[in-house]
Amino acid sequence: MENTLPFERILPSESPLSADVIIIKYPQITYIFDVGESDEAYNAINNIEGNKAVIISHFHRDHSFNLSRLDIKTIYGSKETLRHTKRGNLVKDVVKLEDDLFIIPLPSSHCKGCLALLYKDYLFVGDALYPGGKMNEETFNPQILDNTIKTLEDLDFKFFGISHRKMFVNSKEVIMAWLKYTRSHVK
């Protein structure tokens, strides 16, 4: 785990493909954004003591598989995610979990039903900013990308946390510039 930031992070893996897992601790509860697929993520989450709540960014296996192995009562997900997990609390609008912690529905070309987690100056997006399929301008849906950009512009944060990247934390300015550049090349 990495802990030089105001949250803990379980690093992603390639085999099995497993997303970054974010752990945010409060006195009464620990919030976990994505649960990954790896045994390392499973063991780390399973060993957290006390109350736990999980927010799943989206239903893809590398973000959600460990739910099937964990005994966690409080789970938040989109309609599409809950169809796959068969349990949890439906998130359709912004949900305030703590004074500085919010679940945000995020339009995404990656898949339907993505959620982001806003914590202080950080917006964790899973891999919602990646398109489905190959990573190029042609695979983004222009209307969805417009909605993604608008949603992100309206949020007050300084850094993105983007799963599966060596540079997990990126400045909002850099990622927004990349999204706008990509949008300018999508027909």
Side-chain angles (χ1 to χ4, degrees):
M1 280 201 252
E2 191 177 285
N3 59 6
T4 60
L5 298 166
F7 53 86
E8 293 179 35
R9 175 179 170 221
I10 302 169
L11 297 173
S13 66
E14 292 295 323
S15 184
L17 183 62
S18 189
D20 291 79
V21 174
I22 303 305
I23 299 168
I24 302 169
K25 295 182 178 184
Y26 287 85
Q28 301 301 318
I29 190 167
T30 299
Y31 294 97
I32 303 158
F33 184 69
D34 284 339
V35 293
E37 183 176 358
S38 70
D39 288 339
E40 178 185 5
Y42 166 77
N43 290 328
I45 295 166
N46 201 40
N47 289 328
I48 295 171
E49 294 185 15
N51 292 328
K52 298 177 240 186
V54 167
I55 302 95
I56 299 295
S57 65
H58 64 289
F59 61 86
H60 290 167
R61 182 180 175 101
D62 57 318
H63 297 263
S64 65
F65 175 76
N66 279 330
L67 272 183
S68 65
R69 307 194 299 165
L70 292 163
D71 182 25
I72 295 179
K73 307 285 185 256
T74 306
I75 300 166
Y76 297 93
S78 68
K79 178 180 176 183
E80 291 76 12
T81 296
L82 298 184
R83 272 194 12 227
H84 289 83
T85 62
K86 308 286 189 237
R87 62 187 176 133
N89 300 299
L90 177 62
V91 175
K92 295 194 284 190
D93 298 304
V94 173
V95 174
K96 180 180 178 180
L97 299 171
E98 304 284 344
D99 286 338
D100 58 359
L101 188 68
F102 300 85
I103 304 172
I104 315 282
L106 183 62
S108 172
S109 293
H110 184 66
C111 71
K112 283 180 129 185
C114 287
L115 298 177
L117 187 67
L118 180 60
Y119 174 60
K120 298 183 179 182
D121 287 331
Y122 295 86
L123 184 71
F124 305 105
V125 296
D127 50 15
L129 300 185
Y130 302 156
K134 288 188 172 186
M135 183 70 170
N136 63 42
E137 297 94 13
E138 297 168 12
T139 59
F140 281 101
N141 175 304
Q143 183 178 5
I144 294 174
L145 188 51
D146 286 340
N147 291 336
T148 302
I149 291 169
K150 172 75 170 112
T151 299
L152 295 171
E153 285 178 332
D154 290 345
L155 296 173
D156 183 21
F157 67 98
K158 294 179 183 170
F159 304 102
F160 279 98
I162 304 174
S163 207
H164 302 295
R165 293 177 61 125
K166 271 194 166 170
M167 289 272 311
F168 176 73
V169 173
N170 297 269
S171 76
K172 181 177 183 180
E173 295 84 21
V174 167
I175 299 303
M176 293 304 294
W178 170 73
L179 287 170
K180 290 174 183 178
Y181 172 84
T182 300
R183 178 58 186 101
S184 72
H185 289 80
V186 174
K187 308 228 179 326

